[in-house]
């Protein structure tokens, strides 16, 4: 099992509306765990696992960042689906911003889901970590994929010394992750996809309450924890970097923009070289649905 899995992050990606108009996420369907020692039944290995992502999806964006920061590009191959989905879902195409699928030759990501579970009827979401030996999905949970990349693949990483989930801070990191997920990372989707005015307003106000609290926290510190970004910063970054371009208008979170806050060092301090073109994926996110 994964260590200290976040309580609030059990729900993810695609969702539905509750009777009172609230947006509720679909749970992750596949959550197996890769371990450095192999005791989980899935040993960490170079070349065995393949990452499927969309540049439009902030949940997938997190895993792209961690893969890059840890230096796992040579150990874990990656394919990028077309950011523009058709009625059949995420597709592999040889077009700008996307790649074919060299691991399996899939045309649609849905084929990976059906290969893993022929009876699967949920939404097809990214990211997906694929086991090329077992020919099955390991995980479609961005939380778990991030953690596995952070903690279980050091033997194959170019930067094994980089501690994005340091042992001494894990309790604090988990607590802040939960709060940020509930009110900001998923909060913008709960506001944008709410089907009632009351549900929209209650969730949108919570977005800005937490942003205000983080602004105050960062007024006296460059980073959320210690002297460098940990995973919490990257979880938050993928939302903040899209916020003014996408969530502020399209998702009805328009009380303030991120640029209006004093403590902009969170977005300034994280390097765009680890994340790709802001303009490109912000534009794609604007046309995407909530399910990565």
């Amino acid at each position: 099992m994964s260590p200290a899995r976040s309580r609030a992050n059990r729900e993810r990606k695609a969702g539905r509306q509750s009777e009172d108009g609230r947006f509720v996420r679909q749970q992750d369907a596949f959550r197996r765990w890769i371990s450095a020692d192999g005791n989980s039944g899935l040993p960490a290995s170079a070349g065995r696992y393949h990452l499927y992502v969309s540049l439009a999806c902030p949940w997938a964006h997190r895993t792209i960042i961690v893969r890059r920061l840890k230096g796992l590009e040579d150990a874990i191959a990656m394919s990028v689906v077309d950011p523009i989905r058709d009625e059949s879902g995420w597709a592999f195409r040889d077009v700008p911003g996307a790649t074919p699928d060299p691991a399996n030759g899939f045309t649609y990501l849905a084929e990976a889901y059906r290969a893993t579970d022929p009876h699967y009827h949920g939404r097809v979401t990214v990211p997906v970590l694929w086991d090329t030996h077992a020919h099955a999905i390991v995980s479609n949970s961005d939380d778990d994929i991030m953690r596995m990349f952070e903690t279980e693949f050091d033997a194959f990483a170019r930067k094994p010394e980089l501690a994005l989930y340091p042992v001494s801070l894990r309790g604090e990191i988990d607590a802040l992750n939960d709060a940020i997920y509930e009110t900001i990372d998923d909060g913008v989707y709960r506001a944008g996809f709410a089907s009632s005015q009351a549900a929209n307003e209650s969730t949108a106000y919570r977005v800005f309450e937490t942003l205000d609290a983080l602004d105050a926290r960062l007024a006296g510190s460059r980073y959320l924890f210690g002297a460098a970004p940990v995973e919490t910063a990257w979880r938050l970054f993928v939302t903040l970097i899209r916020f003014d371009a996408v969530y502020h208008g399209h998702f009805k979170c328009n009380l303030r923009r991120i640029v209006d806050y004093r403590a902009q060092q969170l977005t300034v301090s994280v390097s765009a070289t680890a994340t790709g073109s802001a303009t490109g994926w912000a534009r794609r996110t604007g046309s995407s649905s909530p399910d990565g």
Side-chain angles (χ1 to χ4, degrees):
M1 293 181 63
S2 65
R5 289 184 180 175
S6 172
R7 295 186 310 277
N9 293 338
R10 298 303 191 203
E11 294 179 345
R12 246 328 159 252
K13 307 178 185 74
R16 58 178 175 80
Q17 266 70 38
S18 66
E19 292 184 0
D20 62 356
R22 292 178 298 108
F23 172 72
V24 181
R25 283 199 178 273
Q26 172 182 291
Q27 294 185 357
D28 295 320
F30 305 100
R31 299 192 71 171
R32 301 179 67 197
W33 190 260
I34 298 167
S35 60
D37 58 14
N39 286 340
S40 66
L42 292 174
S45 174
R48 174 170 176 171
Y49 303 102
H50 193 94
L51 181 64
Y52 292 124
V53 299
S54 166
L55 300 183
C57 173
W59 313 112
H61 192 180
R62 299 168 166 191
T63 66
I64 298 170
I65 291 172
V66 174
R67 174 178 175 268
R68 172 75 174 270
L69 291 175
K70 291 291 289 187
L72 290 169
E73 297 98 320
D74 294 336
I76 301 169
M78 185 176 79
S79 296
V80 182
V81 296
D82 188 338
I84 307 301
R85 296 188 303 173
D86 60 23
E87 64 278 2
S88 297
W90 296 117
F92 299 98
R93 299 187 178 100
D94 190 7
V95 299
T99 67
D101 172 27
N104 294 292
F106 291 148
T107 302
Y108 289 96
L109 187 59
E111 296 171 60
Y113 279 73
R114 289 195 296 268
T116 305
D117 178 3
H119 303 292
Y120 181 77
H121 296 295
R123 292 293 295 267
V124 172
T125 64
V126 287
V128 164
L129 189 61
W130 177 265
D131 183 349
T132 64
H133 290 192
H135 302 288
I137 294 173
V138 174
S139 180
N140 70 330
S141 164
D142 62 282
D143 300 300
D144 292 356
I145 295 171
M146 284 183 72
R147 284 283 168 83
M148 288 186 279
F149 288 179
E150 290 166 2
T151 63
E152 306 297 338
F153 283 86
D154 282 351
F156 312 101
R158 293 196 311 275
K159 297 181 180 179
E161 73 283 355
L162 179 64
L164 295 172
Y165 189 50
V167 173
S168 62
L169 293 172
R170 287 184 180 180
E172 295 175 73
I173 287 173
D174 289 341
L176 189 55
N177 284 352
D178 284 354
I180 289 173
Y181 168 72
E182 288 285 341
T183 59
I184 297 179
D185 290 339
D186 196 48
V188 293
Y189 290 96
R190 297 181 190 191
F193 290 93
S195 59
S196 72
Q197 185 67 25
N200 166 257
E201 290 182 356
S202 64
T203 51
Y205 280 119
R206 292 187 71 198
V207 169
F208 290 97
E209 286 173 358
T210 303
L211 285 174
D212 291 349
L214 292 172
D215 185 55
R217 178 176 181 143
L218 288 167
S221 175
R222 183 174 176 83
Y223 301 107
L224 293 171
F225 296 99
V230 296
E231 70 162 42
T232 308
W234 298 110
R235 290 171 179 267
L236 180 60
F237 173 76
V238 298
T239 301
L240 295 186
I241 202 66
R242 290 167 167 83
F243 196 95
D244 291 359
V246 178
Y247 302 128
H248 179 269
H250 294 298
F251 286 65
K252 297 172 283 189
C253 294
N254 50 19
L255 290 180
R256 284 180 291 283
R257 302 169 301 167
I258 298 302
V259 72
D260 298 325
Y261 281 90
R262 297 168 300 163
Q264 294 179 50
Q265 59 263 46
L266 179 64
T267 54
V268 171
S269 65
V270 289
S271 170
T273 61
T275 62
S277 166
T279 301
W281 41 246
R283 176 180 58 80
R284 296 182 186 107
T285 303
S287 62
S288 73
S289 75
D291 56 300

